[in-house]
Amino acid sequence: MKKSLFPVLLVFTIFPTLFLPNSFAQDSTQFNLPEYATARFGKGRVSEMQYSPDGKHFAVASSIGIWIYETASYKEITLLTGHTEAVSCIAFSPDSHTLASGSSDKTVRLWDLKTGKHKRTLTGHLHGVYSVAFSQDGDIVVGGSNGEPDGGQIFGAHIIMWDTNTGERKHILTAQGHVNSLAFSPDGKSFASAENYPGFAIRIWDADTGKQLHTLTGHTGSIKKVAFVSDGRTLASVSNDETVRLWDVPTGTQKQTRIDYKSIGSSYAFSSDGNTFAGGNINATINLWDMATVKHKRTLMDTGFVTSIAFSHDTQTLASVSYGNTIHVWNLATGRLKQSISGYTYSVNSVAFSPDGHTLASGVDGTPSYLWNVSSDIPKKTNIGHTTSVDNVAFSPDGKIIARVEGRMAIRLWNTETGILKHSLTGHIDKVFCIAFSSKDNILASGSYATGYIWDAVSGELKSLLKGHIGKVNSIAFSPDGKLIACGGEVEYMEEDHSIGYKGIRLWDTKTWELKHIIPGKMGIVNSVTFSPDGKTLASGESWADYAIRLWDVGTGEQKLILKGHTGDVYNVAFSPQGTILASGSVDNTIRLWDVTTGKHMQTFKGHTGDVNSVTFNTDGSMLVSGSGDGTILLWNIESQ
């Protein structure tokens, strides 16, 4: 057996870091990989960015962890991982030695930035944590959580104050709505919280006792950010009611000055002293205001929908995220772009290997969908086409064509060697949910609402329609010999006892394109179907019905095995090339490997922090690739299993 079926991908370069002397920075595809994983493509989806108070480092909270950069060159130093779900908020301690991170996994974690190590996990929240802040002396960290809506009220939203030295909870404060933002006053004696739904209130709290001092009302929409202005007596707040307001903290009253703006609503930031406000726009502009004079200062032109903004502590630099995938760093004195950081991604919807196993294709939301050359020591990526959102990808049997579902209803066929568009397949009247190539005759199948479409990939002509499904055709697959096509989809209805009334899998004869068989038996919504390499077994992954995976005898339509273990919907299933292993990806963020003969669970791969949307094996079965809603692709070593 070979020792390694995927290159180790280690490329070391020395960078100045805040970590241990003589430490090395790896290629970012290798940072803090989960067990059994050999590489990671993509950095996840950006939720928040922060500069350290000393100005030396820049942190990016993403769906997979926290990326740390040194600001001299904006090179990655490390990726801090440990949260089991997306990181939603971050804050540096005043001395820049500690980072706090809040996550939808309901915890706050503290990280030692001298070593890059996890210090402690702070618990107590009942729901996801979406705001964190340090006290001025760094001894207290506060975290604000979301809540559960019920009858117009919010339950379980809290603000918790912890001692950073011991990890003990000092106070648990009940919030009346989702806590979007927290900020300590310059003297550290109080802090402010901003709430969203149902009351749109700002509350001022005593930092020592946890008692509420004031409730500030007047905003009519969700309050996104609060910050104390440098005088310590004034609080600034921004809301999606299209106003920035100033408040007198000692009296708890609104001052007469405010900024009214239109069409911002996408991202907001105050400078560390609260004297400057920046608002990002859906039309790719960033506007800055002086809070002392309430006057507009500057407009920066970004390249897309601005989703996040952060000021450096000296207010000389601004970082912005353009539509979630590229970070731009701006010199605020000149208004010029200083640096761009790429690699951040939205949900990975689909992954597929080329027939020779050298190229991996990805379908990604909102960002370029790359072709990755995984046969070289350093994976190279290229982009084919002009689209920035791809739902599904599939290679032709000879690898010369890649089909992509671009947008809702467009299927485009691209030449993989030249990057030239061959065909745009038109005819769908609804969203396309799946595509698959036959191993014979250059035939492409696609699934939409209630109908399968059969295309000639050479001419781009529509050959036939497969009608009869109720609801979405979620998955479509050809048998290895090309004689059958399986369609899996939605159910017609659910009985009161939650049994399924409609059979979700249909088999079609590819010679006549006539319905050959409906697989009997109660099952959930079928999200994925795939044939075994010998064509004798069909696997299906489901929603509902205990999140089951079922193995069916293709000849008889009888159920052979049912595989259970996932705790959420099964989105995708794939056979190994040898037909001995079945891989499954689920909403529970895991990939499971199953013995096809016995149905026994073999291994669970953990490492994604979002739904696993797609799994596929390489051509010799040594590697499994998974694409996730967390915005990353993970490559897993199967040989060690």
Side-chain angles (χ1 to χ4, degrees):
M1 181 176 291
K2 289 178 284 185
K3 292 183 179 179
S4 175
L5 291 210
F6 186 74
V8 180
L9 300 175
L10 294 182
V11 178
F12 292 101
T13 306
I14 301 175
F15 293 121
T17 76
L18 72 169
F19 303 111
L20 294 175
N22 300 319
S23 62
F24 289 89
Q26 295 172 297
D27 177 80
S28 62
T29 65
Q30 297 293 298
F31 283 167
N32 283 353
L33 292 173
E35 187 178 12
Y36 304 117
T38 61
R40 178 194 296 109
F41 300 159
K43 298 177 182 178
R45 181 182 61 257
V46 178
S47 55
E48 188 174 20
M49 305 176 294
Q50 292 289 336
Y51 281 90
S52 61
D54 63 12
K56 295 179 179 179
H57 296 96
F58 176 60
V60 179
S62 80
S63 50
I64 64 169
I66 307 105
W67 293 88
I68 305 295
Y69 297 79
E70 50 86 21
T71 55
S73 64
Y74 286 93
K75 298 293 186 182
E76 300 100 339
I77 295 172
T78 193
L79 170 65
L80 307 178
T81 60
H83 284 293
T84 58
E85 296 184 34
V87 179
S88 51
C89 53
I90 49 176
F92 280 97
S93 62
D95 63 7
S96 300
H97 293 165
T98 304
L99 184 77
S101 58
S103 167
S104 48
D105 68 8
K106 307 175 187 177
T107 70
V108 171
R109 287 181 171 240
L110 300 182
W111 308 88
D112 186 332
L113 292 181
K114 290 184 178 180
T115 63
K117 301 293 185 181
H118 170 246
K119 294 174 66 174
R120 58 175 50 93
T121 299
L122 308 177
T123 61
H125 279 291
L126 303 177
H127 301 282
V129 181
Y130 291 93
S131 53
V132 288
F134 277 97
S135 61
Q136 298 305 316
D137 58 11
D139 290 337
I140 300 295
V141 66
V142 293
S145 70
N146 210 329
E148 188 71 28
D150 186 4
Q153 299 295 318
I154 294 292
F155 296 94
H158 293 103
I159 299 167
I160 300 182
M161 304 174 66
W162 292 276
D163 186 308
T164 58
N165 299 304
T166 65
E168 295 181 357
R169 290 193 291 268
K170 290 178 64 70
H171 300 291
I172 300 177
L173 315 176
T174 300
Q176 303 302 312
H178 306 319
V179 182
N180 291 331
S181 181
L182 295 162
F184 272 89
S185 62
D187 62 10
K189 293 182 179 180
S190 61
F191 69 90
S193 64
E195 295 179 4
N196 171 28
Y197 183 82
F200 310 127
I202 301 167
R203 303 182 195 279
I204 308 296
W205 308 85
D206 186 289
D208 184 41
T209 65
K211 291 184 178 179
Q212 184 174 316
L213 302 176
H214 296 293
T215 300
L216 315 181
T217 58
H219 279 299
T220 58
S222 175
I223 304 165
K224 298 299 184 180
K225 291 284 185 182
V226 289
F228 282 89
V229 177
S230 56
D231 65 8
R233 296 177 54 88
T234 304
L235 185 77
S237 61
V238 59
S239 165
N240 63 7
D241 66 7
E242 299 186 339
T243 66
V244 181
R245 304 185 186 216
L246 298 176
W247 309 83
D248 184 77
V249 175
T251 63
T253 59
Q254 182 179 327
K255 294 186 175 183
Q256 295 304 307
T257 55
R258 75 178 194 180
I259 298 170
D260 291 278
Y261 60 88
K262 302 293 182 183
S263 301
I264 291 200
S266 60
S267 54
Y268 321 88
F270 289 99
S271 59
S272 59
D273 59 11
N275 293 335
T276 305
F277 167 72
N281 200 319
I282 60 175
N283 65 6
T285 61
I286 303 166
N287 290 288
L288 287 83
W289 282 269
D290 185 295
M291 296 304 295
T293 62
V294 200
K295 291 184 178 179
H296 182 265
K297 295 173 65 175
R298 182 184 289 277
T299 297
L300 305 175
M301 295 304 299
D302 213 312
T303 57
F305 188 168
V306 181
T307 59
S308 185
I309 306 173
F311 281 98
S312 62
H313 274 247
D314 61 7
T315 320
Q316 299 300 304
T317 304
L318 182 81
S320 64
V321 178
S322 176
Y323 201 47
N325 68 320
T326 301
I327 298 173
H328 292 136
V329 181
W330 305 86
N331 183 322
L332 290 184
T334 64
R336 293 181 178 178
L337 184 66
K338 292 173 57 177
Q339 187 82 31
S340 292
I341 306 172
S342 61
Y344 289 93
T345 46
Y346 281 109
S347 176
V348 179
N349 302 315
S350 178
V351 288
F353 266 108
S354 61
D356 62 10
H358 296 323
T359 304
L360 178 70
S362 62
V364 185
D365 275 347
T367 57
S369 297
Y370 292 112
L371 298 181
W372 301 84
N373 180 355
V374 296
S375 60
S376 61
D377 288 340
I378 302 176
K380 297 179 181 179
K381 61 183 181 180
T382 57
N383 182 39
I384 287 181
H386 49 77
T387 185
T388 58
S389 186
V390 175
D391 289 339
N392 285 273
V393 291
F395 280 97
S396 63
D398 61 8
K400 295 181 179 180
I401 298 173
I402 185 169
R404 307 197 311 191
V405 179
E406 303 176 1
R408 287 183 54 86
M409 295 183 287
I411 301 174
R412 293 190 173 94
L413 306 183
W414 299 88
N415 185 305
T416 57
E417 296 176 350
T418 65
I420 296 174
L421 178 66
K422 289 178 63 66
H423 296 293
S424 290
L425 307 183
T426 58
H428 280 285
I429 59 174
D430 252 311
K431 182 174 173 59
V432 181
F433 298 104
C434 53
I435 53 175
F437 271 101
S438 170
S439 60
K440 311 290 183 181
D441 302 326
N442 288 307
I443 299 301
L444 179 75
S446 58
S448 184
Y449 276 102
T451 304
Y453 291 69
I454 306 300
W455 307 88
D456 185 314
V458 176
S459 67
E461 294 179 357
L462 180 64
K463 291 174 63 69
S464 185
L465 296 176
L466 311 178
K467 296 184 178 181
H469 268 282
I470 305 296
K472 302 175 185 176
V473 178
N474 291 325
S475 182
I476 201 160
F478 285 91
S479 60
D481 61 10
K483 294 181 179 180
L484 291 175
I485 187 169
C487 297
E490 286 195 343
V491 296
E492 184 177 9
Y493 62 89
M494 289 185 67
E495 303 286 0
E496 291 184 2
D497 64 355
H498 300 290
S499 62
I500 306 304
Y502 177 76
K503 314 304 182 293
I505 302 175
R506 296 189 172 205
L507 297 177
W508 306 79
D509 187 311
T510 60
K511 187 176 182 179
T512 62
W513 302 115
E514 293 181 354
L515 180 64
K516 184 174 182 179
H517 191 60
I518 298 177
I519 291 183
K522 292 182 177 180
M523 63 190 79
I525 291 177
V526 179
N527 298 313
S528 178
V529 290
T530 186
F531 284 92
S532 61
D534 63 9
K536 295 179 180 179
T537 302
L538 183 74
S540 62
E542 302 174 9
S543 301
W544 304 337
D546 299 326
Y547 314 120
I549 300 162
R550 301 175 198 271
L551 301 183
W552 308 90
D553 186 300
V554 174
T556 65
E558 294 181 356
Q559 181 174 297
K560 298 168 65 175
L561 289 171
I562 182 169
L563 315 179
K564 293 184 179 181
H566 281 295
T567 58
D569 297 348
V570 179
Y571 274 176
N572 200 238
V573 289
F575 280 100
S576 65
Q578 297 80 11
T580 57
I581 299 174
L582 185 77
S584 57
S586 169
V587 175
D588 65 15
N589 301 356
T590 69
I591 301 108
R592 287 179 175 247
L593 301 182
W594 310 85
D595 186 303
V596 173
T597 302
T598 65
K600 290 184 178 179
H601 170 248
M602 298 170 58
Q603 180 69 51
T604 299
F605 291 153
K606 297 180 179 180
H608 283 297
T609 57
D611 303 347
V612 180
N613 296 324
S614 184
V615 291
T616 188
F617 286 90
N618 66 344
T619 51
D620 64 8
S622 61
M623 186 199 311
L624 179 74
V625 175
S626 55
S628 170
D630 65 16
T632 67
I633 298 167
L634 284 172
L635 282 60
W636 306 88
N637 183 0
I638 299 299
E639 281 201 323
S640 59
Q641 307 310 310

